Amino acid sequence: DTAVSQTPKYLVTQMGNDKSIKCEQNLGHDTMYWYKQDSKKFLKIMFSYNNKELIINETVPNRFSPKSPDKAHLNLHINSLELGDSAVYFCASSLRGQGISDTQYFGPGTRLTVL
Amino acid sequence: QQQVKQSPQSLIVQKGGISIINCAYENTAFDYFPWYQQFPGKGPALLIAIRPDVSEKKEGRFTISFNKSAKQFSLHIMDSQPGDSATYFCAASIPSNTGKLIFGQGTTLQVKP
């Protein structure tokens, strides 16, 4: 009965490879997010979808491509992985995506290590 | 203007003491200020949040103090416990239909028994 789940939990891969991270939420929320947490624990929004529509697209290399097949799922595909992509990636969801009093629920994270 | 500055970066407090974490912002359009707590190996979770029309909000041992004129807000943890050891993030949100949160840099709190 996990609210926001991510797979895989750990991902170790070589530079240049392509990988995907999957996220699912069973909270019935309309909005989902991808965050990147770097080695200094800084959390930064990457993308957000509301009802399968992209609404936040931060300055992220276009090697990163989100995809939302339905409002309960948000996947992140990364092409041509680089060393600097090593980080923990968090998926989150919220009911409406309207900031005020709209709690974001985070998944357990995917630790990506690029060798 | 979009930044939220958080301090200190790390904090060590004795059990039973008061932990205080401070945040400052520039953008007066921010209208929602949550604090998130993150344990090692876990995702952040909402701890407590405040709106700028309120100067203080208390939930159990956790209190947010908000100073709108100074554009500062802080988290106070009273009677700190070893189980409070975690990383704490302040954040701010701009009125929009995106839910975008700007996070502070995080504070790693260690409460010593």
Side-chain angles (χ1 to χ4, degrees), chain B residues 3-64:
Chain B
Q3 283 186 332
V4 178
K5 294 183 179 179
Q6 183 172 346
S7 63
Q9 186 175 351
S10 63
L11 183 60
I12 300 175
V13 172
Q14 292 292 328
K15 178 181 174 182
I18 302 173
S19 304
I20 302 174
I21 304 170
N22 300 299
C23 286
Y25 63 97
E26 288 295 324
N27 191 340
T28 56
F30 288 146
D31 69 344
Y32 173 62
F33 300 88
W35 285 87
Y36 279 78
Q37 179 187 54
Q38 183 180 25
F39 292 106
K42 305 290 186 184
L46 179 68
L47 182 64
I48 186 172
I50 198 167
R51 294 164 62 159
D53 53 350
V54 174
S55 61
E56 185 175 282
K57 184 171 181 181
K58 184 175 180 178
E59 289 184 3
R61 296 184 293 108
F62 300 90
T63 301
I64 301 178

Side-chain angles (χ1 to χ4, degrees), chain B residues 46-107:
Chain B
L46 179 68
L47 182 64
I48 186 172
I50 198 167
R51 294 164 62 159
D53 53 350
V54 174
S55 61
E56 185 175 282
K57 184 171 181 181
K58 184 175 180 178
E59 289 184 3
R61 296 184 293 108
F62 300 90
T63 301
I64 301 178
S65 296
F66 191 86
N67 186 330
K68 190 172 181 178
S69 60
K71 291 183 282 186
Q72 294 175 349
F73 58 110
S74 59
L75 176 70
H76 291 64
I77 306 174
M78 311 300 288
D79 187 26
S80 298
Q81 299 296 312
D84 297 331
S85 298
T87 300
Y88 292 81
F89 294 92
C90 62
S93 176
I94 300 174
S96 70
N97 62 351
T98 67
K100 180 177 177 179
L101 288 177
I102 310 295
F103 281 89
Q105 296 89 335
T107 297

Side-chain angles (χ1 to χ4, degrees), chain A residues 3-59:
Chain A
V4 182
S5 58
Q6 294 179 230
T7 53
K9 188 162 175 64
Y10 300 96
L11 189 51
V12 181
T13 187
Q14 299 287 331
M15 269 198 314
N17 284 350
D18 303 338
K19 290 293 178 185
S20 292
I21 306 172
K22 295 187 176 184
C23 178
E24 177 180 1
Q25 55 94 2
N26 62 5
L27 297 167
H29 289 169
D30 287 343
T31 305
M32 296 184 73
Y33 311 80
W34 277 114
Y35 286 88
K36 179 180 181 180
Q37 186 170 48
D38 64 22
S39 57
K40 295 183 179 179
K41 297 189 181 177
F42 184 61
L43 262 173
K44 192 172 188 308
I45 182 84
M46 299 173 69
F47 303 103
S48 174
Y49 273 77
N50 181 278
N51 262 321
K52 302 194 296 175
E53 179 186 351
L54 183 66
I55 56 170
I56 296 176
N57 187 355
E58 292 292 291
T59 309

